[in-house]
Amino acid sequence: MEQLVSYIAPSAPATRRPAVGDEPDVRLEIGFTPRWYRNKLGIDFGEKWHNNPEYRKQTVLAMRQELKKRFHNRDVGIQSEKPDLLTGLYGACTIAAIYEIPIIYSQNNWPTCASKYLSDSEVDSLNPPDLMDNYFFQKLLEQVKWIHEDQGEIIGFINWQGVLNNACRLRGEQIFVDMFINPERVMHLLDCVSTTMIEGVKTLYMHQKGENSEYKFVTISNCLVNMISPEQYRDFIMPFDLKISKVFGTVGIHNCAWNANPYMEYYSKFSNLGYIDMGIDSDLKKAKEFFSNARRALMYTPMDLYSKSTNEIEDDIKYIVNSFSPCDIIIADIDEDIPDSKVCHVIDYVEKINFRVK
């Protein structure tokens, strides 16, 4: 089983990628919002950015150059020599868009989904779309083909989200009521969503397979898990997380910066868990014991980066390292209000820690 690490491509939401194998004891992953890039480079992250790969290529090259210049060639947001033209595409909206939920684009932010939720009868009659006959998915594959012809390979990853995240985009807050009054409806919706996630990932990987690349992992984003009880996770979400994980060699579970304590026991049931992240309020020592074979990651919030002094941030990093390492420390969604000097300080401090570990 391989391990996964956090990965944030320029302007993209955080996702995961396979570990190389020579990761440092403490690995820092930094990411910035689309607004951060727009304010510096004037990039329009609207519909054209997501539907025109040639335009997206121009902006990705410009963002990579800006990162190199601003952070003096520090390793920030760059996975390979060739530009990643896939990661960040459609933000977190891909599955919802396959189910014909309209995407709302923004010049300075990731796209979101329209609040066009399925009715009771629409959920009950729902079937997983045929991806080979799905307009949105076929348009996505046209971009994949363009990327392959332009780059010779397809670097990057679609953010497929998780079953609860996607189901909430289709059903809205009503899904939490359904868990009490109509659990069969919830299970049907989650079954449809999980089936589409599996087929989408498998189809994209088939297109990405090449001489030097064959992906066999999947990541599941449980961003909304703290909105349900541990028992609801066990009864409603976990069966489909397991269903997805069993199709692939390795699974990564993303929890945002939430306290993962109530769910650790259930996550430990995933025999092929290669990555898990959580917030600093989690019991990190317990997590290290539970997930000793997985790459662990700590989601350090941009609010903490903004509001805390450098000394306080250093103390947090020391605590994370002593309790959780080897691990990733992820600082995503950095915006304009956080000075570059503070970001550089964190990068340099983590580099010093790794130097002392050596």
Side-chain angles (χ1 to χ4, degrees):
M1 181 188 69
E2 65 181 344
Q3 287 190 337
L4 310 175
V5 295
S6 179
Y7 171 50
I8 308 176
S11 80
T15 186
R16 272 58 58 192
R17 64 169 176 79
V20 175
D22 61 353
E23 282 75 20
D25 198 57
V26 183
R27 179 180 172 275
L28 186 65
E29 189 73 3
I30 299 287
F32 302 88
T33 64
R35 179 167 47 240
W36 188 91
Y37 289 101
R38 178 165 176 77
N39 288 345
K40 290 167 174 53
L41 299 170
I43 296 171
D44 184 346
F45 290 98
E47 187 170 358
K48 181 180 179 180
W49 194 90
H50 291 274
N51 288 324
N52 186 327
E54 187 170 7
Y55 171 70
R56 192 164 62 251
K57 176 184 176 180
Q58 296 171 6
T59 67
V60 168
L61 291 172
M63 288 187 285
R64 284 163 60 108
Q65 189 61 36
E66 181 70 14
L67 290 171
K68 288 181 179 180
K69 180 183 72 174
R70 191 169 290 273
F71 298 105
H72 310 292
N73 289 315
R74 290 176 172 88
D75 185 18
V76 177
I78 297 176
Q79 177 189 1
S80 64
E81 292 184 6
K82 293 183 179 180
D84 178 350
L85 307 183
L86 188 62
T87 306
L89 182 61
Y90 301 119
C93 300
T94 298
I95 292 293
I98 288 172
Y99 280 88
E100 300 183 357
I101 302 298
I103 295 177
I104 300 173
Y105 296 96
S106 171
Q107 289 184 334
N108 65 354
N109 207 345
W110 298 296
T112 59
C113 296
S115 300
K116 181 185 175 184
Y117 301 129
L118 301 179
S119 66
D120 294 354
S121 60
E122 287 172 330
V123 173
D124 294 342
S125 62
L126 195 66
N127 289 302
D130 178 0
L131 295 184
M132 296 303 100
D133 191 39
N134 183 269
Y135 175 78
F136 177 82
F137 191 73
Q138 289 305 308
K139 294 290 286 184
L140 187 156
L141 290 184
E142 287 178 13
Q143 293 202 52
V144 168
K145 180 180 178 182
W146 187 96
I147 293 170
H148 185 267
E149 292 174 349
D150 185 73
Q151 298 292 309
E153 59 183 320
I154 305 160
I155 298 169
F157 312 99
I158 292 293
N159 192 327
W160 299 101
Q161 288 287 283
V163 289
L164 181 58
N165 291 10
N166 289 321
C168 198
R169 289 186 175 91
L170 299 182
R171 181 64 168 156
E173 296 177 358
Q174 182 63 33
I175 191 171
F176 301 110
V177 179
D178 292 342
M179 288 182 180
F180 292 97
I181 66 174
N182 199 325
E184 294 83 5
R185 179 172 293 146
V186 177
M187 299 300 276
H188 174 65
L189 176 56
L190 296 177
D191 187 51
C192 289
V193 165
S194 60
T195 297
T196 302
M197 291 172 65
I198 291 170
E199 291 307 310
V201 175
K202 288 170 60 177
T203 303
L204 179 59
Y205 283 175
M206 180 182 67
H207 286 268
Q208 289 182 290
K209 185 176 180 180
E211 293 182 5
N212 301 315
S213 62
E214 183 179 2
Y215 298 125
K216 297 180 179 180
F217 76 95
V218 66
T219 64
I220 295 169
S221 297
N222 283 335
C223 306
L224 301 180
V225 72
N226 274 191
M227 296 184 69
I228 59 176
S229 70
E231 293 75 23
Q232 286 176 313
Y233 173 77
R234 177 197 63 201
D235 296 340
F236 288 101
I237 309 304
M238 185 177 173
F240 299 101
D241 283 357
L242 286 169
K243 169 187 170 182
I244 294 169
S245 72
K246 289 175 181 177
V247 177
F248 301 92
T250 303
V251 62
I253 297 179
H254 165 66
N255 288 287
C256 289
W258 297 120
N259 183 332
N261 292 349
Y263 315 94
M264 285 188 193
E265 177 185 353
Y266 301 119
Y267 289 154
S268 69
K269 307 297 183 185
F270 289 74
S271 60
N272 59 339
L273 187 69
Y275 169 97
I276 188 165
D277 63 37
M278 59 195 68
I280 200 168
D281 291 331
S282 305
D283 186 336
L284 301 185
K285 291 184 178 180
K286 180 180 178 181
K288 186 173 181 176
E289 294 175 1
F290 263 123
F291 312 115
S292 58
N293 294 322
R295 182 70 181 189
R296 297 172 296 278
L298 192 289
M299 302 290 294
Y300 196 79
T301 70
M303 293 78 77
D304 282 340
L305 183 65
Y306 171 78
S307 62
K308 292 186 176 183
S309 68
T310 54
N311 287 337
E312 290 174 317
I313 294 169
E314 288 181 8
D315 287 342
D316 283 344
I317 293 173
K318 290 176 187 175
Y319 166 70
I320 295 164
V321 171
N322 292 334
S323 305
F324 206 44
S325 67
C327 65
D328 289 4
I329 297 177
I330 307 159
I331 311 178
D333 307 348
I334 297 173
D335 217 333
E336 192 70 22
D337 54 358
I338 298 174
D340 294 348
S341 59
K342 207 168 191 180
V343 176
C344 288
H345 181 88
V346 173
I347 296 172
D348 293 341
Y349 186 69
V350 170
E351 287 181 354
K352 289 179 182 178
I353 289 175
N354 283 319
F355 180 78
R356 287 198 293 268
V357 169
K358 291 180 181 179

